[in-house]
Amino acid sequence: MFTLGVNMNRLNLQDRARIIGCLTEGNSMRATSRMCDVSINTVTKLLVDVGTACDLYQNETFRNLPCKRLQVDEIWSFCGMKEKNVPKMRRGELGVGDVYTWVAIDADTKLVPSWLIGQRWVEYAKLFIDDLASRMANRIQLTSDGHKPYLTAVESSFGNNIDYAMLVKIYSNPGATENRQYSPGECCGANKTPVCGNPDEKHISTSFVERQNLTMRMHMRRFTRLTNGFSRKVENHCCAVALHYMFYNFARIHKTLRVTPAMQIGISDHVWTLEEIAELAN
């Protein structure tokens, strides 16, 4: 992560918690600035400070996790400009144009133990799956979509010590409509392909991680399509994602579980408050 030396002593704990609450409930930076009556620079500095602290805390806490069934996916966003507008000399530069967030979710506890921000290339797939493997205490069943870099990454990180399958959905032709790029068409089937080990067919699914992608788009303005709230700097993008997952894992009660994912898996004994999250940066 990227750290800036910022002194947040000018804001009391309640004000910091209020700003964090606005950011984690889907408000943009400028909307948060107006709602909390603070400058946009104050919001940015707090995001960087707390986001960095959240990233460090979760990196240390998510170790030897007793997960059994995990699902992985990548969610698209962009920084600075759309990929089609990136100058030729900056093509391939991380933080300019397309940016993908690789996400893993535990299907049982709904915990998100690992994520990575980068490109949709095999190098990032290996980094992501390496990180995921390092956090697991047991053999797991893993399901991904048909993105081919997963094949090399899973074999490199887990070897044969995994039950891995791919789920490839089949969509009908959406036709020539104006919403084509956002609507791939009606899902009319899916191919479940075991890749390694002995995955349980009834648990070969990516439904939970796809629903988690919606949660990201609803709770982070920079992920919402067709707005001007997109990220300008990839460093701030990373901090926003870390803050979101701290809130999601530790402070947001899951509607089905009736506890937070961190409580469900046993790494927290209470629902975190926004003040507790803010204090991580002290």
Side-chain angles (χ1 to χ4, degrees):
M1 291 297 293
F2 303 82
T3 307
L4 296 178
V6 179
N7 187 347
M8 297 306 302
N9 291 335
R10 294 183 181 179
L11 287 179
N12 60 42
L13 184 59
Q14 289 70 33
D15 288 337
R16 282 179 281 161
R18 186 182 178 194
I19 293 173
I20 291 171
C22 290
L23 292 175
T24 54
E25 290 294 351
N27 292 288
S28 68
M29 301 281 282
R30 293 197 179 277
T32 298
S33 172
R34 292 190 296 269
M35 294 166 65
C36 298
D37 194 24
V38 296
S39 74
I40 185 67
N41 291 337
T42 299
V43 177
T44 302
K45 290 176 180 179
L46 180 62
L47 172 67
V48 172
D49 262 14
V50 178
T52 300
C54 290
D55 183 74
L56 293 173
Y57 181 84
Q58 291 175 97
N59 182 54
E60 295 172 358
T61 304
F62 295 157
R63 299 291 174 182
N64 296 315
L65 298 173
C67 303
K68 297 180 180 179
R69 299 185 292 117
L70 287 115
Q71 301 173 10
V72 293
D73 199 9
E74 325 83 52
I75 181 171
W76 171 84
S77 59
F78 67 95
C79 282
M81 65 192 77
K82 291 285 187 69
E83 188 68 25
K84 64 181 180 180
N85 297 323
V86 176
K88 289 184 179 180
M89 68 286 296
R90 303 194 70 181
R91 297 277 172 85
E93 178 182 336
L94 179 61
V96 182
D98 288 352
V99 174
Y100 286 86
T101 304
W102 302 70
V103 182
I105 189 172
D106 180 4
D108 298 306
T109 67
K110 308 304 183 290
L111 184 81
V112 175
S114 180
W115 65 89
L116 176 70
I117 293 160
Q119 303 286 5
R120 205 166 177 251
W121 304 336
V122 65
E123 294 84 358
Y124 289 96
K126 289 181 178 179
L127 289 173
F128 172 59
I129 298 298
D130 275 346
D131 181 75
L132 179 63
S134 70
R135 301 182 187 281
M136 299 297 108
N138 310 305
R139 184 186 180 101
I140 64 169
Q141 174 166 329
L142 181 69
T143 305
S144 74
D145 58 16
H147 192 39
K148 291 184 179 180
Y150 282 120
L151 295 171
T152 303
V154 170
E155 181 180 7
S156 174
S157 301
F158 286 97
N160 293 322
N161 189 32
I162 189 173
D163 301 312
Y164 172 48
M166 279 186 162
L167 178 71
V168 180
K169 293 185 177 180
I170 304 170
Y171 294 95
S172 62
N173 189 340
T177 67
E178 59 182 5
N179 296 323
R180 183 184 182 93
Q181 63 178 339
Y182 298 113
S183 303
E186 181 181 356
C187 182
C188 54
N191 293 327
K192 298 181 178 181
T193 306
V195 177
C196 181
N198 186 30
D200 186 343
E201 183 176 357
K202 68 180 180 180
H203 293 309
I204 299 176
S205 171
T206 56
S207 296
F208 291 123
V209 72
E210 289 171 0
R211 178 59 180 80
Q212 212 297 130
N213 288 346
L214 174 62
T215 300
M216 290 182 69
R217 295 206 184 277
M218 296 294 290
H219 281 266
M220 283 187 283
R221 174 60 66 183
R222 62 190 70 229
F223 278 82
T224 305
R225 296 183 186 273
L226 302 178
T227 74
N228 64 353
F230 56 88
S231 296
R232 273 67 174 179
K233 296 175 63 177
V234 71
E235 296 88 347
N236 293 356
H237 191 83
C238 294
C239 290
V241 172
L243 174 60
H244 165 74
Y245 280 127
M246 188 71 204
F247 175 75
Y248 170 84
N249 285 325
F250 289 88
R252 179 179 180 270
I253 296 178
H254 193 279
K255 185 176 181 180
T256 302
L257 301 176
R258 299 183 183 275
V259 293
T260 67
M263 294 172 67
Q264 184 71 14
I265 204 169
I267 58 177
S268 178
D269 59 3
H270 68 286
V271 179
W272 280 49
T273 64
L274 296 176
E275 286 79 8
E276 286 180 285
I277 295 177
E279 286 182 323
L280 289 175
N282 289 346

